Amino acid sequence: MTERTETRAASPDARDVLAVRGLCKSHGRVRTLDAVDLDLKPGERVALLGHNGAGKTTLMKLILGLWTPSGGEIRVAGAVPGSAEARKASAYLPEAVAFHRALTGREQLTLFARLAGAPVKTVGELLERVGVADAADRRIGTWSKGMRQRLGLAQVLLGRPRIALLDEPTSGLDPISRHDLYAIIDEMAQNGTAVLIASHALTEVEARTDRIAIMRKGRIVADDTLARLSARAELPIRLRLTAQNDDASEVHARIGGERINGASVELLCSPETKMQRLAHIAALGDLVIDVEMAPPSLEDLYRHYSQGDRT
Ligand SMILES: Nc1ncnc2c1ncn2[C@@H]1O[C@H](COP(=O)(O)OP(=O)(O)O)[C@@H](O)[C@H]1O
Ligand SMILES: [Mg+2]
């Protein structure tokens, strides 16, 4: 299967905060990135999904100008990565945040504010915003990984960047903090910041991003809205029936599908045949006591798009 996905990069736009074209990166003989195209507009939240080693961090480091591409082009707010203009426009939350362990959170963020030329008086407010105000005057060496990541997020918010690159921001956070994280991402986007979120935590980005770019072995294999990716993948809907008296044999004999255990039968159907299937199920009367319907999950989609093109 070699389905080619039409990416947004097919239509370059002067308003793009990020424009990546035909980007390649080799580490020695290994090609880490291969002809990557990616665009972000102001206020767009884009998830960059891929397994470990897919090339997500590499792409971010190239966008930041920390590494040099082997080929292709990148513009950040119209400027070359690493230039003063591009650096001013971008903010980065690395996968592993490294701070001065001996400084307190407040001292560290104040230092960052001075370096970024941001008003120092916002520091207290930002520490509050990311939920570490209580620990602000303790040394960072005593903080948990989740707390340090929140401090990293405060640093991202400092300069009101035009693009924020967040590398695996949910690793090390507890579920409630993830909720907070996405609230902050939404807020940034509303203020016009484009946000690129690298993640392998698929369930995290399902409802919270405008677009999903799926990366596999250094290539972007899909880049679109979740709705359009779902429609194009034509993945089946799963219907799970629970039989009366925990007896699935009769239901299975009459309707087919697959027996999951003594009590349940699972059927797959397309969106078009769903109503017809449900009518058949209803005709079984009391034999079926419950029906659960599961649309394709993001995991299903991810598997679909990252399996294609095995070359
Ligand atoms: N400095 C490096 N030297 C050699 N190979 C590297 C280097 N950095 C990354 N790679 C390789 O590039 C690939 C992509 O890595 P990475 O961008 O970190 O993926 P991800 O962030 O998606 O997990 C991996 O196969 C990794 O082994
Ligand atoms: Mg990474």
Side-chain angles (χ1 to χ4, degrees):
M1 192 176 62
T2 53
E3 182 177 348
R4 274 281 159 270
T5 310
E6 202 177 298
T7 66
R8 293 298 176 93
S11 53
D13 189 322
R15 290 172 308 156
D16 288 346
V17 180
L18 175 70
V20 174
R21 286 291 173 286
L23 188 66
C24 296
K25 176 70 182 172
S26 302
H27 285 105
R29 286 177 160 200
V30 182
R31 179 147 280 206
T32 311
L33 289 188
D34 190 5
V36 167
D37 292 342
L38 187 69
D39 290 326
L40 260 76
K41 299 199 188 316
E44 252 189 331
R45 299 161 303 173
V46 176
L48 184 64
L49 286 182
H51 290 303
N52 281 334
K56 307 179 295 291
T57 300
T58 302
L59 177 58
M60 288 190 166
K61 291 196 167 169
L62 290 164
I63 293 169
L64 290 161
L66 298 173
W67 288 352
T68 319
S70 314
E73 236 191 329
I74 306 172
R75 287 291 176 276
V76 179
V80 177
S83 65
E85 210 181 329
R87 290 215 315 259
K88 192 173 182 315
S90 46
Y92 177 44
L93 176 64
E95 210 166 343
V97 280
F99 297 117
H100 251 290
R101 296 175 65 83
L103 296 184
T104 68
R106 193 186 309 280
E107 286 166 349
Q108 177 74 83
L109 198 59
T110 304
L111 184 61
F112 282 137
R114 293 221 167 90
L115 290 172
V120 168
K121 64 176 191 315
T122 60
V123 163
E125 197 180 295
L126 284 174
L127 290 167
E128 188 88 42
R129 181 72 194 86
V130 299
V132 293
D134 289 349
D137 296 308
R138 293 209 321 256
R139 286 165 195 257
I140 296 167
T142 67
W143 289 25
S144 70
K145 186 178 177 215
M147 288 163 74
R148 277 180 263 156
Q149 250 170 330
R150 291 177 197 217
L151 186 61
L153 205 56
Q155 185 215 329
V156 166
L157 292 169
L158 255 187
R160 290 188 152 260
R162 295 185 59 194
I163 178 165
L165 307 170
L166 313 180
D167 199 353
E168 307 275 357
T170 55
S171 62
L173 297 188
D174 57 81
I176 296 167
S177 326
R178 278 183 201 161
H179 176 269
D180 291 351
L181 170 81
Y182 277 91
I184 289 171
I185 289 174
D186 291 350
E187 210 174 282
M188 279 197 271
Q190 271 157 27
N191 289 327
T193 300
V195 190
L196 184 65
I197 309 142
S199 181
H200 62 265
L202 308 182
T203 45
E204 284 313 306
V205 299
E206 198 143 9
R208 309 300 295 256
T209 50
D210 302 304
R211 249 167 63 217
I212 294 172
I214 300 177
M215 243 191 147
R216 178 178 181 271
K217 293 189 176 172
R219 307 176 76 166
I220 304 270
V221 293
D223 176 5
D224 215 329
T225 63
L226 180 57
R228 279 199 287 259
L229 290 178
S230 301
R232 201 179 311 129
E234 295 179 341
L235 294 172
I237 294 164
R238 227 177 277 272
L239 299 175
R240 182 174 286 209
L241 319 184
T242 307
Q244 185 180 236
N245 301 328
D246 286 352
D247 182 12
S249 6
E250 176 76 12
V251 173
H252 182 241
R254 306 250 309 250
I255 207 144
E258 193 185 338
R259 285 186 64 163
I260 298 304
N261 52 40
S264 309
V265 173
E266 200 170 84
L267 302 171
L268 298 177
C269 66
S270 66
E272 294 75 34
T273 59
K274 181 178 72 181
M275 292 311 291
Q276 200 185 354
R277 280 308 234 173
L278 285 173
H280 289 154
I281 293 162
L284 297 180
D286 290 345
L287 281 179
V288 176
I289 57 170
D290 196 15
V291 181
E292 263 177 54
M293 204 170 353
S297 67
L298 189 59
E299 270 85 355
D300 294 332
L301 263 185
Y302 181 61
R303 216 172 295 123
H304 172 86
Y305 283 104
S306 61
Q307 268 168 3
D309 195 357
R310 290 183 178 283
T311 50

